[in-house]
Amino acid sequence: METPGRTVTTQDALDFTVENVEKALHQLYYDPNIENKNLAQKWLMQAQVSPQAWQFCWVLLSPDKVPEIQYFGASALHTKISRYWSDIPTDQYESLKTQLFSQIACFSSGSKMVLTRLCVALASLALNTMPEAWPDAVAEMVRVFQEEGGGVDARARCLALLELLTVLPEEFQTSRLPQYRRTQVRGALGREWVVVYPLLQQLLQRTDTPGAVKARVHRCLSSWVLLDVSLSDSEGLVHDCFSALPDPELFDTAVEAIVNAISQPDSQRYVNTLLKLVPPVLALQEQLREAVQNGDMETCHGICRIAVTLGENHSRTLLEQVDHWQSFLALVNMIMFCTGIPGHYPVNETTSSLTLTFWYTLQDEIMSFESDKQAVYLQVYRPVFFQLVDVLLHKAQFPSDHEYASWSSDEKEQFRIYRVDISDTLMYVYEMLGAELLSNLYDKLGRLLTNPEEPTSWQHTEALLYGFQSIAETIDVNYSDVIPGLIGLIPRISINNVQLADTVMFTIGALAEWLADHPVMLSSVLPLVLQALGNPDLSVSSVSTLKKICRECKYDLPPYANNIVAVSQEVLIKQIHKTSQCMWLMQALGFLLSALPVEEILRNLHSLITPYIQQLEKLADETPNPSNKLAIIHILGLLSNLFTTLDISKQDNDSADGSAPPVKSSPPLPGPNPVVVVLQQVFALIQTVLSKWLTDSQVVEAVCAIFEKSVKTLLHNFAPMVSQLSEMLGQMYSTIPQASALDLTRQMVHIFASETDHFPPIKALFELVTSVTLSIFQQGPRDHPDIVDSFMQLQAQALKRKPDLFLSVSLDVKAVFHCGEFTELLSHCSDVPPLARVVQDDGKLLVQAVLEGIGGGASRSLMDQYAEVLFSLNKHCCSLLVIWLKESLQPQGFPSSRVTAAQKNHFSQQILRERVQKRRVKDLVKEFTLLCRGLHGTEYAADY
């Protein structure tokens, strides 16, 4: 193909000729310039939907064209038929069908990708014409392709027919037919199965059918069963697929067809058919064992998929057939074999992970039976589930150190996720086996650790502990009588490996709540945790475990506090841990200190914080640079995390999740709060840091975080700092406005705006940040999206907590309204007079802007927000909205020339009628915007 003399441009927009299409395709495939490629792509998309496409698509399918060009011609045909069907006159249906049959016949021996696209186009035509205009579509397809002639050999014709029959249900699944047509067409396609079935069966059962044809038959069956062809109607073909499994050429397609057929939702209705499928599945065990011996992962995977699909989708149905309990138990044992398949996942095998959901399903079904029936099943299946625990813990074992070292990071990550899945499965199994499971694990671990004659691998010990950890993490094990023994065994474990040490740590962490009820056992495990803190390889497990212990057992830790603080200080100074673990460690110390007397808290805080304060003083004197910036943010982060959890009020609702606390919490405690004492001591230093770093949003954010976390934790006990913090925030924001300062202001408003003593500084701060923000918005809010978001949240919080803030004469309420804070403002227009005046003055402007957006002036993604405004106006200013809607919709052509006066009036009446269901208003707005845009009833509306 010759290189075109020029690239396609927008000037060719209306000149969709064959020559220009070919130029654009050449440009798309071969032009090295990405901009030219994008331009060609855009132009070709326009060409594909243009009226001229009907002319050029047939020419592009000429035998002398290259496949890429032919493919575009076939795609253009499909686009026109599937998306613009209403443009095609009914008297042209027949000729279009004939042309497509002819082209498919031509390409049956040509390019596969072009053939498929032509089949999809004919399938789309069939879906648009059946059942009225083309009542026996599938029968005609079969007849046309079975006829001799056209110089096309029988095998090519057969493959083309199978391709057409395969894409027909697939095209139905992705088509955008209206709902009433979908139901109609689905029924028509279902009736055509009687034509498809004998054809597929004949091709599968004939000995001279080529392998490629049989594979295509399997794909065709897969496609039709997804159309809800029932299992009883495809039973014979499914059994034929089982017969194909020994053939490596047909194995994959046969597995896919069997799995799809068995997975159909209504298959459980056909109990006898399902029972007849169990023997052929069990018969695959010999092929499965051979595949395991030969290391044939693909075959193992496929056979396992079949067994698991039958068991997982139909476990209840098969369990209920009590006369056949042995065959179902045999299927369960076959799946157990797949779970315990030899080798390490994911390096030597990838099959066992497929089975885990089955075990959850089986356990769930058994436990859902009534108690007398359940008892019978438990008698049979409890031993099976105990065996499963052994298998799972064996599969969870790490490989040898040498082998594990050879794994890629991706393989290690897959193995980690696999172990998490095993952990989840063990948790479900516990639902059935209960306390006996913990006793079972404990006995095994005890034998392992106390029998000196039996050599043990660390992997075995680790896996048993992992089993304990999996259950203790999510199940309340406080009642268990084996936990004291387990705690007693842990110090006996010879820890000479990082993975084992990690699991020991996580197991102790999982038992933190139990330790809180049995504090006498803390002395057995705490030394192990503190020792592990010094090992960087155990950073995550040791720090998270210490944090859990400090959170759950803080009132029992004072005797150990000095030791914990000393070890923590040492590892922090040595910088053993990464930043996030340092933050966790500070949270742990916050929990620990919370339970100490105030004077001890202050003493510990002094020794803990002083080195960082000294470092911060030194950094504050330096000229700002990237290195000292990171150090400053790190120190500020440590303080933030310490103050997040340091709460000396005796409430037991400690939380480091950052959620907003309830305001009506404990009253201020007598005497100075330790956190406030420290903050007052470092306040001047923080101001010095700010003065040098005020332009850096990350440093400002880190400073604000200290106060925000402290406010959230201390609530009203933060009161002594309100005045000076409000002043500092005002100065910060006036100099360089940043979103983090607004977020902290919002927190202060949330807690202190309703308190008489603190209202003046809060009011002054609120007015100042509002005034500064409004002046920014006048210059263009789009440059400050984070400030816009935080400002809106602040205004909403102020309206909720203290609407009196808007009574101030120095606050420009009208400007706030024009910022778009509508829904919250509207809800207060009855109790805040300045708001009522603004709404009365500017409400009509708001309604007009909303209608303009709905009419097509704004993205359709914003329609829900517009609906919220209309709903809020109707709820709080109904009488005014009646007038505003009437006046705004009066002009002809507004908000769109596509809607009539009657349609506008209908929309207005429906909106005004709906004052309860916001969802309904959203639907009305979506419907009206589609009318305004001329999209109502089109394919675009189907996805909206």
Side-chain angles (χ1 to χ4, degrees), residues 276-297:
K276 280 189 266 182
L277 285 173
V278 176
V281 173
L282 294 175
L284 296 172
Q285 288 179 96
E286 190 53 44
Q287 190 178 351
L288 175 61
R289 286 195 182 87
E290 282 178 23
V292 169
Q293 284 171 359
N294 300 331
D296 180 355
M297 280 208 281

Side-chain angles (χ1 to χ4, degrees), residues 630-799:
L630 287 176
I632 287 170
I633 289 173
H634 181 74
I635 292 170
L636 295 173
L638 291 174
L639 294 175
S640 290
N641 281 277
L642 178 62
F643 297 156
T644 299
T645 54
L646 180 43
D647 182 9
I648 61 169
S649 65
K650 293 295 178 185
Q651 291 187 317
D652 225 346
N653 63 349
D654 302 286
S655 163
D657 63 1
S659 57
V663 176
K664 290 180 181 173
S665 187
S666 58
L669 292 167
N673 185 287
V675 172
V676 173
V677 171
V678 172
L679 284 175
Q680 286 174 329
Q681 287 171 355
V682 299
F683 197 81
L685 173 58
I686 287 174
Q687 284 182 305
T688 307
V689 171
L690 265 180
S691 65
K692 289 226 176 140
W693 290 91
L694 202 50
T695 57
D696 191 295
S697 62
Q698 289 172 303
V699 174
V700 172
E701 206 171 300
V703 167
C704 289
I706 290 180
F707 294 105
E708 193 175 354
K709 302 257 175 86
S710 303
V711 170
K712 279 183 179 177
T713 307
L714 300 180
L715 302 176
H716 297 285
N717 294 308
F718 189 81
M721 302 263 340
V722 170
S723 184
Q724 62 191 127
L725 180 57
S726 298
E727 191 181 338
M728 185 182 90
L729 267 176
Q731 289 168 353
M732 273 169 59
Y733 197 75
S734 303
T735 314
I736 296 183
Q738 302 206 18
S740 51
L742 288 174
D743 295 335
L744 179 50
T745 302
R746 186 179 83 243
Q747 198 65 39
M748 300 270 282
V749 166
H750 177 63
I751 294 167
F752 295 106
S754 298
E755 295 194 6
T756 312
D757 292 349
H758 300 299
F759 184 69
I762 295 291
K763 176 174 176 283
L765 174 61
F766 179 73
E767 288 174 7
L768 178 63
V769 297
T770 300
S771 170
V772 171
T773 308
L774 291 173
S775 64
I776 294 171
F777 286 180
Q778 284 174 350
Q779 296 155 25
R782 288 185 182 178
D783 299 334
H784 307 277
D786 54 339
I787 287 181
V788 172
D789 187 43
S790 293
F791 179 70
M792 293 306 186
Q793 288 183 44
L794 168 62
Q795 297 299 315
Q797 183 69 266
L799 282 160

Side-chain angles (χ1 to χ4, degrees), residues 850-906:
V850 166
L851 290 172
E852 190 177 338
I854 295 171
S859 164
R860 280 190 286 158
S861 63
L862 297 172
M863 292 308 117
D864 278 357
Q865 286 89 318
Y866 287 146
E868 296 232 7
V869 174
L870 288 175
F871 181 76
S872 199
L873 280 166
N874 198 26
K875 198 170 179 183
H876 303 290
C877 327
C878 181
S879 56
L880 289 169
L881 182 62
V882 174
I883 300 163
W884 293 334
L885 277 175
K886 188 178 179 182
E887 290 176 357
S888 301
L889 291 170
Q890 196 79 44
Q892 194 174 347
F894 183 85
S896 164
S897 57
R898 292 189 178 92
V899 285
T900 64
Q903 286 171 320
K904 289 194 282 186
N905 185 52
H906 181 62

